[in-house]
């Protein structure tokens, strides 16, 4: 697979440019993540002629000198504009993990208003837009020890050793900015008019089976949800199954199967 190429500061293409009628997958990382966090997915996700566009949030990676995004809705508006400019003319599928799932919901609503609705949306390890666990005042009050505990719980959910203390001074500001953005988020749109698939880990400490089922209220079209083994970052050990689910959507019928 060809390497990554920034198309805009916010939107990176992984792999080739795709072919006419090929599927464009848009991937949105979790809070604290970057485009690099999802770099292992496109090789498993793409078929010949498809392409992947991965969102690169400001304030990290090559954008480390930029201010962090302050609002999820504004970030979604920028992403929707970039996607319309750079996505091919074939089916469009959005998939986001954790905070990225809520962002994909916002982007899908905007793309629908712009006349470019996705074929479906896949939200992974994400609570519904109106059921977020974060509170802005509590996020602002969190001290270094509490951030380390949060990072350790995330590492445990990923099945990895914590070992993050030496990186804390670099990671905490990124996580704080993303957590605040999600805590302050209020959905501005109602249910989507496109199908939606909710995915999650069976042992996720933050997103329950009930949260996944709760996404049903956020679409008037087809809906499905399923859990896979693992915690909050279950997809890291379930890559093939995870990517297959995204391709199949809520219908279990692969988009543009060939």
């Amino acid at each position: 697979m060809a390497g990554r190429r920034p198309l805009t500061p916010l939107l990176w293409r992984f792999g080739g440019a795709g072919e006419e009628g090929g599927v464009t997958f848009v991937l949105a990382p979790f809070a604290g993540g970057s485009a690099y966090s999802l770099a292992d997915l496109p090789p498993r996700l793409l078929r010949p002629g498809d392409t992947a566009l991965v969102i690169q949030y400001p304030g990290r990676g090559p954008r480390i000198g930029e201010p962090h995004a302050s609002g999820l809705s504004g970030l979604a508006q920028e992403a929707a504009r970039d996607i319309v400019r750079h996505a091919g003319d074939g089916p469009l599928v959005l998939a986001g993990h954790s905070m990225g799932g809520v962002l994909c919901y916002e982007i899908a609503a905007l793309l629908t208003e712009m006349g470019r609705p996705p074929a479906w949306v896949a939200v992974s390890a994400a609570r519904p837009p109106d059921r977020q666990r974060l509170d802005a005042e509590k996020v602002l009050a969190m001290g270094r020890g509490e951030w380390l505990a949060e990072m350790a719980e995330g590492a445990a959910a990923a099945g990895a050793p914590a070992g993050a203390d030496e990186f804390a001074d670099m990671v905490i500001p990124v996580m704080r900015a993303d957590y605040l953005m999600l805590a302050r988020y209020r959905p501005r749109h109602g249910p989507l008019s496109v199908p939606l698939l909710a995915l999650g880990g069976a042992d996720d400490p933050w997103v329950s089976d009930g949260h996944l089922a709760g996404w049903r209220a956020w679409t008037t079209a087809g809906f499905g949800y399923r859990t896979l083994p693992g915690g909050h970052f279950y997809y890291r050990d379930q890559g093939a199954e995870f990517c297959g689910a995204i391709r199949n959507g809520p219908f279990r019928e692969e988009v543009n199967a060939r």
Side-chain angles (χ1 to χ4, degrees), residues 179-232:
Y179 275 38
L180 281 174
M181 183 164 57
L182 192 55
R184 291 167 173 164
Y185 166 72
R186 299 294 180 272
R188 299 185 303 127
H189 308 277
L192 300 176
S193 58
V194 300
L196 191 149
L197 171 69
L199 300 167
D203 300 316
D204 191 331
W206 295 321
V207 181
S208 69
D209 190 78
H211 292 129
L212 299 178
W215 277 97
R216 184 185 301 275
W218 290 90
T219 178
T220 60
F223 174 78
Y225 83 95
R226 59 186 295 202
T227 57
L228 296 172
H232 191 66

Side-chain angles (χ1 to χ4, degrees), residues 237-256:
D237 293 322
Q238 305 289 334
E241 189 79 8
F242 177 71
C243 290
I246 292 173
R247 289 196 64 89
N248 296 344
F251 314 113
R252 297 181 180 268
E253 180 180 342
E254 186 171 297
V255 61
N256 271 18

